[in-house]
Amino acid sequence: MATFSPGFGGRRRAARDDLPPGQYETHDFPVLSYGPTPHVPRDTWQFTLTDENGARRSWSWQELLDLPQEDITVDIHCVTKWSKFATSWRGVSLDVLLDDVETSADFAVAHSYGGYTTNLPLDDLLDGKAWIAHGYDGQDLEPEHGGPARLLVPHLYFWKSAKWVDGLRLTTTDEPGFWETNGYHAYGDPWREQRYWGD
Ligand SMILES: Nc1nc2c(c(=O)[nH]1)N[C@H]1C(S)=C(S)[C@@H](COP(=O)(O)O)O[C@H]1N2
Ligand SMILES: [Mo]
């Protein structure tokens, strides 16, 4: 997996083809939060799916845990240029939550306890590409990293992975979320370096 090549100044990681352009690898797990960490008790936690007509469906914490669980190992890429390889998560696939939803919406806005929002095409949440993650590295997900539960959409820049997620709203048009209103790219593909408006 990891390949090292001897270089000037000691041990160096060889350039990896799994590092998107402009990124560097970190072994830390930086915390990036706009605003304070909300502390959400699991017994009042809820996740609400709202369709484009306003119809809602909610899951309690226990209902989330009663769904099929997946263990996921993925690389994550932050727009501030750190990437972290092979992070391990546990959670529920969005395919499960969206399974019996009939919708004509093409987009979604994820929203969070604390008010954060981020927009994604609905297709980017389906087919094994996105999860509601509540475990990290064999432990409960820590509040700083989005616990009780966060969205995990590793194929897009990590700002799309809304921490403290409390729902998804399906929309017929692409409605920019918090960072997308403030200069960040509407889609955010790390492989195409879609960091900011105009990229
Ligand atoms: N609710 C919420 N979710 C959020 C953020 C935030 O400020 N609030 N920051 C985003 C950004 S910019 C990144 S890089 C990741 C950071 O996740 P981490 O703190 O677990 O590394 O969370 C994303 N999700
Ligand atoms: Mo970020």
Side-chain angles (χ1 to χ4, degrees), residues 32 78-80 82 158-159 179:
L32 280 104
C78 174
V79 72
T80 64
W82 57 267
F158 209 35
W159 88 76
W179 284 119

Side-chain angles (χ1 to χ4, degrees), residues 83-98:
S83 290
K84 188 170 173 62
F85 292 118
T87 59
S88 309
W89 306 82
R90 187 168 176 79
V92 175
S93 170
L94 260 295
D95 290 314
V96 172
L97 296 173
L98 292 165

Side-chain angles (χ1 to χ4, degrees), residues 132-148:
I132 303 296
H134 56 78
Y136 180 78
D137 244 357
Q139 312 279 325
D140 288 344
L141 182 61
E142 286 175 30
E144 290 69 27
H145 287 298

Side-chain angles (χ1 to χ4, degrees), residues 13-25:
R13 191 177 280 276
R16 304 178 50 145
D17 57 10
D18 45 2
L19 194 61
Q23 298 291 111
Y24 65 87
E25 182 183 10

